[in-house]
């Protein structure tokens, strides 16, 4: 069946794709979890879609495909699955069906759009100009609401900001439910869920997958298997879902939402507790909170108790059945109060453990900005236990990505995912690229170790010489936006080729301009390390300024390292080095995007060759030909430039 699909889609047989398809087929049949590393160009989407479709049709149960990015969701639904359905026509007992399903917040709520309640007041941190922009977006949403058939936010082009969209959407906890809502029969979310419930393949995202696994109510339709694509991002996406935050702004929102629903003295009590919290957080230093200060404990208790009193004052949940508008306002008020109350409780319970190994959550204070007040956050030290009990509990899960085997093994990510011991297998199907012939991995061992004071002049000189040898055609991946900007400012006039820097325009437009002009260079950070797909002569050189370790003062990462160490493990290797290896592999993967691509990956950080953990990082990358000689790297780039 795979041969027929590949042939019909105009492709050619790839050994890695065939090996992956066979393994996915076996995993689905035997009910064993599978992790598959499939390099760029393998055709992994088809390698899991064909077995998933066959399994769904044969077993009459849906298979969920979860991705981290909207781009891949759209590729699957708009291109891959329609073409696959056509290719398999006549090879299956019936036509296959598929649907995309997102979280409720992604769909317009007809009831809220019609009733107009309760509008979130414009953030007082916004200036008048931004409020005006938001107002125009609100008007555009109102016009679009009369013509959309799906209510899917992604249909809005250009997009709208969160402030505007919030006026027309509700969370799952705020929703009245289809049975009670006057617009329930026409609800965009319910219609999307209905389509998904009738489909063989349901395409969703990691966030919704996590919510479905962890909530008491089902979000996704019944399904017997899950394919997690872009699985290297699963832990971060799940962590973000189970991270809670508390600030004066959140308390103030709850106060606004209970206005006219409870007695004024009770609302005033909650507002005063929020103001106490605001004053405390404004004076406190940002960073991890390891021990609960008495004043913080008392303030959190005030917030908790005030929110609980207001919840009681709202009366029984589910009241006002005959008045949908009133019921909706009450439910939204309950949701805001619950978030404040439950987060305060969770933060208080994060402390007081006798031993570090007993700690489940970490609390930290995030400094305020011009647009956002200081905010307390709480996140789990690990999500592996949650996923082990929920996601991997009673269904087969296939996890795949171009980057999974870090340091040459799947064990690091398997532990983070919580894969049950002895109930999963790992497979690296390789890549169709000949990395040793197509790419050079150059480490600038002669450079000084990177410091904290920005890019040394020696690094700027090295970048300039490499870019000149390549004739532009460079993607510069920097560990911080400050470093990217500094390099762009210092080298803009010196290089003699167009130089773009992330932040100059939207990232998508910058990548497009970079791809269309061969001599152009693009410098940036984070989002450029993953997802940039520029095959051909426009990209011959990838520069990585330093090993992308997480910041040593990052509260969550540092707490996770300490937690691993307390349990007898190597916190640095399990957390910081694994994080760096994953990003390095993703960044290096920008170079070879097609069979004809060639080029150089230049790592300027000498620790990549000299540090005790260097072999772990190198083993996380494909087998490029390696050198530490700058003359060799520059000569190779010049040959490519002149060819």
């Amino acid at each position: 069946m795979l041969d027929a699909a590949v042939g019909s889609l105009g492709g050619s047989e790839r050994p890695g794709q065939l090996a992956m398809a066979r393994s996915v087929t076996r995993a689905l049949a035997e009910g064993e979890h599978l992790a598959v590393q499939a390099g760029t160009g393998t055709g992994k989407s088809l390698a899991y879609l064909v077995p998933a479709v066959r399994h769904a049709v044969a077993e009459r149960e849906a298979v969920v495909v979860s991705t981290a990015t909207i781009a891949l969701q759209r590729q699957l639904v708009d291109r891959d699955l329609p073409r696959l359905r056509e290719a398999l026509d006549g090879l299956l007992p019936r036509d296959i069906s598929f649907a995309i399903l997102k979280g409720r917040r992604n769909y317009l709520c007809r009831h809220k759009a019609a009733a107009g309640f309760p509008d979130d007041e414009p953030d007082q941190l916004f200036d008048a100009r931004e409020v005006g922009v938001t107002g125009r977006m609100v008007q555009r949403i109102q016009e679009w609401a009369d013509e959309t058939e799906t209510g899917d936010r992604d249909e809005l082009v250009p997009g709208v900001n969160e402030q505007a969209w919030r006026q027309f959407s509700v969370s799952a906890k705020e929703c009245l439910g289809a049975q009670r809502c006057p617009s329930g029969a026409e609800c965009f979310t319910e219609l999307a869920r209905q389509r998904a419930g009738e489909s063989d393949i349901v395409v969703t995202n990691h966030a919704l997958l996590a919510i479905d696994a962890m909530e008491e109510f089902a979000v996704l339709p019944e399904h017997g298997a899950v394919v997690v694509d872009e699985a290297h991002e699963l832990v971060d996406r799940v962590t973000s879902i189970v991270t809670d935050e508390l600030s004066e702004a959140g308390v103030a929102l709850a106060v606004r939402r209970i206005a006219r629903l409870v007695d004024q003295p009770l609302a005033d009590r909650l507002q005063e507790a929020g103001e106490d919290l605001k004053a405390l957080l404004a004076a406190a230093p940002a960073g991890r909170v390891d021990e609960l200060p008495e004043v913080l404990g008392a303030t959190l208790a005030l917030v908790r108790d005030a929110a609980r009193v207001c919840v009681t004052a709202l009366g029984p949940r589910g009241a006002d059945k005959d008045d949908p508008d009133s019921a909706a306002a009450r439910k939204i008020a309950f949701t805001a109060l619950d978030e404040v109350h439950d987060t305060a409780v969770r933060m208080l319970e994060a402390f007081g453990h006798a031993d570090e190994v007993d700690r489940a959550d970490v609390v930290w204070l995030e400094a305020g900005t011009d647009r956002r007040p200081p905010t307390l956050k709480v996140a789990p030290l690990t999500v592996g236990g949650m996923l082990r009990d929920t996601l991997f509990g009673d269904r087969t899960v296939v996890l795949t990505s171009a980057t999974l085997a870090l340091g040459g093994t799947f064990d690091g990510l398997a532990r983070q995912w919580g894969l049950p011991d002895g109930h999963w297998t790992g497979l690296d199907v390789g890549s169709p690229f000949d990395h040793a012939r197509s790419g050079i991995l150059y480490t600038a061992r002669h450079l000084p170790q990177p410091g904290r004071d920005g890019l040394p002049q020696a690094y700027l000189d090295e970048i300039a010489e490499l870019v000149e040898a390549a004739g532009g055609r460079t993607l510069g991946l920097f560990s911080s936006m400050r470093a990217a900007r500094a390099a762009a400012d210092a080298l803009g006039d010196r290089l003699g080729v167009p130089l773009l820097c992330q932040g100059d325009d939207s990232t998508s437009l910058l990548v497009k301009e970079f791809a269309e002009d061969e001599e152009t260079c693009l410098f940036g950070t984070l989002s450029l390390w993953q997802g940039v797909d520029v095959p051909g002569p426009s990209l011959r050189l990838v520069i990585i300024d330093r090993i992308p370790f997480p910041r040593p003062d990052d509260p969550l990462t540092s707490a996770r390292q300490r937690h691993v160490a307390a349990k007898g493990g190597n916190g640095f290797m399990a957390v910081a080095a694994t994080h760096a290896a994953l990003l390095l592999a993703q960044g290096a993967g920008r170079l070879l995007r097609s069979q004809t691509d060639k080029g150089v990956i230049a790592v300027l950080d000498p620790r990549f060759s000299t540090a005790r953990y260097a072999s772990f990082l190198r083993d996380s990358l494909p087998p490029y030909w390696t050198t530490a000689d700058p003359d060799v790297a520059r000569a190779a780039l010049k040959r490519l430039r002149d060819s």
Side-chain angles (χ1 to χ4, degrees), residues 246-249 273-287 295-296 299 365-369 372-376:
L246 187 63
S247 69
E248 184 271 338
E275 290 171 352
D276 288 347
L277 179 68
K278 177 182 180 180
L280 177 61
L281 298 186
V295 63
L296 177 58
T299 304
L365 176 60
E366 192 171 274
T369 66
R372 182 177 172 83
T375 302
L376 268 181

Side-chain angles (χ1 to χ4, degrees), residues 466-511:
L466 288 167
V467 172
E468 288 167 358
R473 302 172 174 84
T474 301
L475 178 64
L477 302 178
F478 293 84
S479 55
S480 69
M481 197 61 239
R482 184 177 66 174
R485 186 79 263 172
D489 291 343
L491 301 176
D493 296 331
R494 175 177 173 180
L495 292 177
V497 295
L499 175 54
L500 308 174
C501 186
Q502 193 173 5
D504 292 343
D505 205 333
S506 72
T507 300
S508 60
L509 289 177
L510 290 174
V511 172

Side-chain angles (χ1 to χ4, degrees), residues 79-100:
R79 191 190 73 179
D80 293 352
L81 282 164
R83 294 168 69 187
L84 181 59
R85 176 166 56 190
E86 184 177 346
L88 297 181
D89 184 31
L91 298 179
L92 291 170
R94 58 175 174 79
D95 285 344
I96 64 170
S97 56
F98 51 87
I100 188 169

Side-chain angles (χ1 to χ4, degrees), residues 217-263:
F217 53 89
V219 177
L220 296 171
E222 288 292 325
H223 55 283
V226 176
V227 177
V228 181
D229 202 342
E230 300 174 311
H232 62 280
E233 295 205 43
L234 180 62
V235 169
D236 285 345
R237 299 303 173 103
V238 173
T239 298
S240 68
I241 289 297
V242 292
T243 296
D244 290 323
E245 61 181 52
L246 187 63
S247 69
E248 184 271 338
V251 177
L253 175 62
V255 171
R256 290 200 300 271
R257 288 185 168 177
I258 62 174
R260 297 183 297 277
L261 296 177
V262 303
D263 292 338

Side-chain angles (χ1 to χ4, degrees), residues 356-402:
E356 173 63 29
V357 298
D358 298 324
R359 191 191 296 262
D361 285 330
V362 57
V363 177
W364 73 95
L365 176 60
E366 192 171 274
T369 66
D370 292 340
R371 300 171 61 90
R372 182 177 172 83
T375 302
L376 268 181
K377 294 194 170 186
V378 57
L381 287 165
T382 175
V383 297
M386 303 178 199
L387 293 176
R388 182 184 299 112
D389 297 337
T390 54
L391 179 62
F392 299 113
D394 56 1
R395 59 179 64 89
T396 303
V397 181
V398 175
L399 306 109
T400 185
S401 170

Side-chain angles (χ1 to χ4, degrees), residues 321-484:
K321 294 182 179 180
D322 298 329
D323 185 352
D325 289 354
S326 175
R330 281 166 45 80
K331 185 147 191 183
I332 289 175
F334 271 123
T335 299
L337 288 172
D338 286 343
E339 288 177 357
V340 170
H341 174 270
D342 295 350
T343 301
V345 169
R346 182 180 175 189
M347 289 176 174
L348 289 168
E349 292 178 348
F351 301 97
H353 300 287
D355 197 312
E356 173 63 29
V357 298
D358 298 324
R359 191 191 296 262
D361 285 330
V362 57
V363 177
W364 73 95
L365 176 60
E366 192 171 274
T369 66
D370 292 340
R371 300 171 61 90
R372 182 177 172 83
T375 302
L376 268 181
K377 294 194 170 186
V378 57
L381 287 165
T382 175
V383 297
M386 303 178 199
L387 293 176
R388 182 184 299 112
D389 297 337
T390 54
L391 179 62
F392 299 113
D394 56 1
R395 59 179 64 89
T396 303
V397 181
V398 175
L399 306 109
T400 185
S401 170
T403 309
L404 294 182
L406 304 178
T409 174
F410 293 89
D411 292 347
L413 284 180
R415 281 192 296 270
Q416 292 186 14
W417 293 328
L419 274 171
D421 293 340
H423 294 280
W424 66 278
T425 57
L427 173 69
D428 183 355
V429 300
S431 166
F433 301 150
D434 187 343
H435 290 89
R437 290 180 176 273
S438 301
I440 294 175
L441 179 60
Y442 160 57
T443 306
R445 293 187 61 163
H446 61 283
L447 291 180
Q449 286 197 16
R452 297 183 178 181
D453 301 324
L455 287 172
Q457 186 61 43
Y459 278 52
L460 295 172
D461 293 340
E462 184 79 18
I463 293 171
E465 291 171 2
L466 288 167
V467 172
E468 288 167 358
R473 302 172 174 84
T474 301
L475 178 64
L477 302 178
F478 293 84
S479 55
S480 69
M481 197 61 239
R482 184 177 66 174

